[in-house]
Amino acid sequence: MGDRPDDRLIGEQASGRGLARDVLQSLFAGGQMPIGRLALMFAAFIALLGFMRTLSMAWAVIRLYGFTISRLGDDLRMEFGLLTRVITTIPIRRIQTLTIREGPLHRLFGGAAVGVDTAGGDQREGGVTQREWLAPIIRRGDLPGFLSQVLPEVDLAAVEWRGVAPRAVRRAFVEWLVVA
């Protein structure tokens, strides 16, 4: 019978003789590190992340199925959804911020996403306004034509584009690392 609290976790009394137990035993009890088993755990973790990403993309396809946007007078009307059909209207006069987002996958496939923040729109907890997507996925080359049709007041040629701050990637990575 062991006196130490970790005996129940990694000692002889521990239930199960699995992969995680072997790795924990090597870490806490000073045993030999099972490199093959550690690699297997890492591969399983990567596979789980890949599965979650695939599941997230499948949910986005179901949620945004049949996405259409049209301009009706001074309003933008969007319709989307496979299981639940959503119809939403954004008054153009309430648009405060137009955001064009190009993540790593967008850049890889030559796409972008266009979102807007509205004044007085739906608010989540903490008073943060909810971002509405004008175009969840759009080809980068189609962006000027799309914006000129939907928001003719926006002139992309007159906008001064600035690159990302030099340390922005590091800040985003550190934030992600803290959350992880």
Side-chain angles (χ1 to χ4, degrees):
M1 193 74 94
D3 299 311
R4 299 178 4 186
D6 63 342
D7 277 345
R8 279 185 254 136
L9 183 62
I10 61 172
E12 292 301 317
Q13 297 177 352
S15 63
R17 303 245 181 237
L19 182 63
R21 180 181 172 271
D22 290 345
V23 171
L24 287 174
Q25 186 174 18
S26 68
L27 287 174
F28 291 117
Q32 185 178 0
M33 182 65 81
I35 300 298
R37 289 184 170 233
L38 195 57
L40 184 62
M41 273 184 64
F42 183 71
F45 179 71
I46 296 299
L48 178 68
L49 287 179
F51 174 73
M52 294 300 289
R53 183 67 174 179
T54 303
L55 192 63
S56 172
M57 288 189 290
W59 177 246
V61 167
I62 290 170
R63 193 173 147 265
L64 296 172
Y65 179 81
F67 187 93
T68 59
I69 185 168
S70 57
R71 183 170 178 161
L72 302 170
D74 287 339
D75 295 336
L76 297 175
R77 183 175 187 249
M78 293 171 290
E79 257 185 89
F80 56 90
L82 179 63
L83 302 176
T84 303
R85 198 77 184 148
V86 177
I87 300 172
T88 184
T89 302
I90 300 175
I92 292 176
R93 66 184 176 284
R94 293 194 177 262
I95 294 177
Q96 290 187 322
T97 307
L98 176 74
T99 305
I100 300 171
R101 183 174 181 270
E102 289 184 23
L105 287 176
H106 287 117
R107 281 193 292 278
L108 180 66
F109 295 109
V114 180
V116 292
D117 290 323
T118 57
D122 293 335
Q123 291 191 350
R124 295 180 183 168
E125 290 181 26
V128 178
T129 59
Q130 182 176 348
R131 170 162 290 148
E132 297 285 347
W133 292 107
L134 288 185
I137 299 173
I138 188 170
R139 285 190 212 110
R140 184 71 171 113
D142 296 340
L143 195 55
F146 170 76
L147 289 178
S148 69
Q149 286 180 1
V150 176
L151 298 169
E153 302 83 26
V154 176
D155 182 18
L156 286 180
V159 174
E160 179 186 336
W161 294 98
R162 288 180 263 161
V164 177
R167 294 186 348 209
V169 173
R170 189 178 95 192
R171 283 193 306 265
F173 179 73
V174 168
E175 180 181 312
W176 176 83
L177 192 60
V178 168
V179 170

